[in-house]
Amino acid sequence: MGFGDVKFMGALGLYFGLANIITITLMAFLFAAIISIFLLVTKIKKKSEYIPFGPFIVVACFIDMLVPFSIIFWTLAKIFTLGMA
């Protein structure tokens, strides 16, 4: 994550607020992890190549704007607590 991503997340935090920026951050990291693992396993990207993080932040923002907060929060709680919550 470069400093441009940090500034982008800061600007989004001012616009969306604390609760939504936390869900956006978690979704962005989740999407980035899944897609990056896929790209590395299929050898589309090498370990030495960069994978930009900005597109994952943008996708997470669009999902946050279109899906109600309660559904996003419930889904992330189920994913990150392994279904215990």
Side-chain angles (χ1 to χ4, degrees):
M1 203 164 122
F3 193 64
D5 297 326
V6 173
K7 291 188 278 188
F8 186 41
M9 291 295 282
L12 291 174
L14 289 173
Y15 184 76
F16 283 104
L18 181 63
N20 286 333
I21 200 64
I22 290 172
T23 58
I24 288 170
T25 304
L26 290 175
M27 283 191 295
F29 278 116
L30 184 66
F31 297 150
I34 292 169
I35 293 175
S36 297
I37 289 170
F38 174 76
L39 291 174
L40 291 171
V41 167
T42 58
K43 302 202 189 278
I44 295 173
K45 291 277 190 177
K46 297 177 185 174
K47 287 183 182 180
S48 61
E49 293 179 322
Y50 291 109
I51 300 173
F53 190 61
F56 300 112
I57 298 171
V58 172
V59 169
C61 282
F62 280 125
I63 291 173
D64 192 69
M65 287 188 291
L66 298 174
V67 179
F69 178 77
S70 59
I71 294 173
I72 294 172
F73 183 77
W74 181 82
T75 305
L76 289 173
K78 288 293 182 184
I79 290 171
F80 284 105
T81 61
L82 301 176
M84 299 292 181

